[in-house]
């Protein structure tokens, strides 16, 4: 059993802290946002993540997990402090490190015993050294004794929607440090997970995180580019991806063509990596193309709808799904929102439904009529767009949908429906990269 503090109760912090507690450690999660901590203490989770509420409750009841806003309390006698705060995009695409800085300063102010500072936030390469500097300088300026601490980088690879299972069953754990024994101590925390642990230097670990996210985003943009070609060449990208994925060197995952990647990580991290590259005099041409393809993928929906409906002015378009992916209420950089704004700019009237994301989205799309079911969205619609592949959209009553729609036009932005069946049912069906008759 180790005594751990996790700073930040966003996706990464809340899930990591809870999972460490579930593995038997004594964990305190800290956040400076009082309202957030108050709610968590009442059992109200700040995010929708399957299984999280239950796991938090179990570990709080077992006395292994507490939530607080009090740094002094959170850092008392802890051996390891994990920094898992947000690193949003700054004006130039760079990662904004203000929350990492305040966490480092708080550690410097509150801790007077040996400690290992573990960075879990996605931070620019070199941040581990920067954190070391901040702590050392702060101790000097506040007149304190030098602090005995080591910094370890431990990037997080969990996905929203499957965060707990990703956290408990990682493909690998990456640890980077200038001090190998510190990294080894953190490795021991992960022993119960029985996964490969890689120990490397600080900057390499930080780079692994960016390179991994950028590579996955590249894979998606690649298949989206292939999808656009498939539409012109009469091939089916779903089959193309299957055929490619059977090659072990390529692998089947992250080859689903669709509306492009969104969420809280890929857009921010690819931008930040490209920004770092430019700052250091290299030309991130591939990353620029990956981002451009992603932007275009949203625009193509507008183009398809404009053609199918003969203009968009005063046409009613129903959007199925608002969250950036299923099983989350996260709407950050969600394709649906961008598509809605583009459609509204062309005069379309929008109705939408999402099983979890509507509440978060509503202030960003004030003119949209939010509905209670997909069938309500379909009522009077000139077209339906699948923007998020929630399971409940996969088996709809298509007779009913067609009956209530004004025109049976569907844009299946996530390729969840079978093109031939949809054509047979009388829909004017457009998937993404599904051959010449269906785009
Ligand atoms: C991602 C990384 O997977 C994770 O390792 C990292 O820690 C955080 O960022 P997440 O943003 O939760 O996780 O979602 P992910 O499942 O990776 O999907 C990202 C985006 O890519 C979503 O918008 C999704 O719809 C899109 N996507 C994913 C595709 O368009 N096609 C695919 O084949 C896979």
């Amino acid at each position: 059993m180790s005594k751990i503090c996790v700073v930040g109760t966003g996706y990464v912090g809340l899930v990591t802290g809870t999972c460490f507690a579930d593995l038997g450690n004594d964990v305190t999660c800290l956040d400076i946002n009082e309202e957030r901590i108050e709610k968590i203490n009442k059992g109200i989770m700040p995010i929708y993540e399957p299984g999280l509420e239950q796991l938090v409750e179990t570990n709080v009841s077992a006395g292994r997990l507490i939530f607080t806003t009090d740094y002094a309390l959170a850092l008392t006698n802890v051996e390891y402090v994990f920094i898992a705060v947000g690193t949003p995009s700054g004006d130039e695409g760079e990662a904004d490190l203000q929350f990492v800085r305040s966490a480092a300063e708080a550690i410097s102010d509150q801790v007077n015993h040996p400690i290992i500072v573990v960075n879990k936030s996605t931070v620019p390469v070199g941040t581990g050294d920067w954190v070391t500097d901040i702590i050392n300088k702060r101790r000097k300026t506040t007149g304190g004794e030098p602090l005995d601490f080591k910094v370890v980088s431990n990037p997080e690879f969990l996905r929203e929607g499957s965060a707990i299972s990703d956290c408990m069953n990682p493909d690998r754990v990456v640890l980077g440090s200038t001090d190998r024994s510190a990294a080894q101590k953190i490795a021991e925390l992960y022993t119960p997970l029985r996964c490969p642990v890689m120990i490397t230097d600080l900057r390499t670990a930080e780079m692994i995180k960016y390179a991994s996210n950028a590579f996955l985003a590249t894979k998606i943009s690649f298949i989206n580019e292939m999808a656009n070609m498939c539409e012109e060449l009469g091939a089916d990208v779903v089959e193309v991806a299957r055929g490619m994925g059977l090659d072990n060197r390529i692998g089947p995952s992250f080859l689903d063509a669709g509306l492009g990647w969104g969420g809280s990580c890929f857009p921010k991290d690819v931008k930040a990596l490209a920004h770092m590259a430019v700052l250091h005099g290299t030309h991130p041409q591939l990353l620029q193309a990956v981002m451009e393809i992603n932007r275009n993928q949203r625009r193509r929906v507008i183009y398809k709808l404009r053609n199918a409906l003969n203009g968009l002015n005063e046409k009613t378009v129903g959007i199925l799904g608002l969250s950036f992916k299923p099983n989350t209420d996260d709407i950050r950089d969600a394709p649906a929102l961008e598509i809605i704004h583009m459609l509204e700019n062309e005069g379309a009237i929008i109705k939408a439904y999402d099983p979890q994301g509507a509440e978060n989205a509503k202030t960003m799309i004030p003119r949209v009529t939010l509905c209670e079911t997909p069938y309500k969205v379909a009522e009077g619609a000139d077209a339906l767009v699948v923007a998020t592949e929630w399971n409940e959209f996969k088996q709809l009553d298509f007779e009913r949908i067609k009956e209530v729609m004004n025109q049976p036009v569907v844009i299946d932005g996530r390729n969840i429906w079978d093109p031939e069946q949809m054509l047979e049912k009388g829909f004017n069906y457009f998937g993404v990269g599904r051959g010449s008759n269906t785009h």
Side-chain angles (χ1 to χ4, degrees), residues 136-395:
N136 282 332
K137 280 191 187 140
R138 178 107 172 167
R139 291 295 273 208
K140 248 192 200 155
T141 52
T142 52
E145 292 286 305
L147 181 64
D148 178 3
F149 74 102
K150 303 283 181 289
V151 173
V152 173
S153 162
N154 174 208
E156 181 51 64
F157 301 102
L158 58 81
R159 290 163 300 175
E160 294 183 18
S162 53
I164 290 163
S165 114
D166 284 358
C167 196
M168 291 300 210
N169 309 286
D171 287 350
R172 80 299 207 188
V173 166
V174 174
L175 299 169
S177 185
T178 44
D179 185 292
R180 204 174 165 87
S181 69
Q184 259 151 357
K185 281 204 172 133
I186 303 303
E188 282 167 25
L189 290 177
Y190 289 101
T191 309
L193 303 183
R194 297 168 187 271
C195 66
V197 177
M198 174 182 171
I199 297 185
T200 182
D201 65 83
L202 206 47
R203 287 172 180 245
T204 304
E206 290 167 344
M207 187 65 184
I208 288 171
K209 169 69 189 189
Y210 278 107
S212 301
N213 272 359
F215 184 76
L216 292 171
T218 302
K219 233 180 151 184
I220 300 167
S221 282
F222 179 87
I223 202 66
N224 282 334
E225 185 157 290
M226 294 303 113
N228 300 341
M229 288 186 206
C230 284
E231 292 181 0
E232 299 311 317
L233 299 170
D236 182 349
V237 76
V238 173
E239 293 288 290
V240 171
R242 195 158 70 94
M244 287 171 63
L246 288 169
D247 184 328
N248 283 332
R249 292 168 304 176
I250 298 173
S253 54
F254 280 69
L255 285 179
D256 291 329
L259 303 178
W261 35 272
S264 63
C265 290
F266 285 178
K268 160 174 88 68
D269 294 350
V270 178
K271 231 194 267 172
L273 184 58
H275 182 260
M276 262 185 273
V278 172
L279 269 188
H280 292 87
T282 65
H283 303 288
Q285 293 168 62
L286 178 61
L287 298 183
Q288 300 294 3
V290 165
M291 289 188 278
E292 178 61 19
I293 292 167
N294 204 50
R295 283 191 290 272
N296 274 337
Q297 211 56 20
R298 271 87 144 148
R299 291 187 197 124
R300 282 181 74 83
V301 175
I302 313 302
Y303 167 80
K304 285 177 183 175
L305 275 174
R306 203 191 288 126
N307 279 349
L309 300 180
N310 217 355
L312 287 164
N313 196 30
E314 296 195 356
K315 299 285 166 36
T316 300
V317 179
I319 307 286
L320 296 182
L322 294 167
S323 57
F324 84 95
K325 67 178 220 179
N327 301 325
T328 177
D329 60 356
D330 196 339
I331 45 120
R332 285 175 285 180
D333 266 305
L337 301 191
E338 218 177 307
I339 288 166
I340 288 171
H341 290 140
M342 287 191 276
L343 288 171
E344 285 183 334
N345 279 343
E346 299 207 18
I349 300 149
I350 313 293
K351 303 169 79 178
Y353 166 73
D354 188 282
Q356 295 292 338
E359 187 58 32
N360 285 342
K362 72 180 183 204
T363 53
M364 296 178 72
I365 46 172
R367 282 180 287 163
V368 172
T369 306
L370 294 168
C371 302
E372 293 297 314
T373 67
Y375 301 101
K376 287 268 176 235
V377 172
E379 268 172 32
D382 293 295
L384 272 187
V385 177
V386 179
T388 317
E389 67 278 31
W390 284 94
N391 270 341
E392 67 173 79
F393 300 154
K394 291 181 180 165
Q395 304 279 354

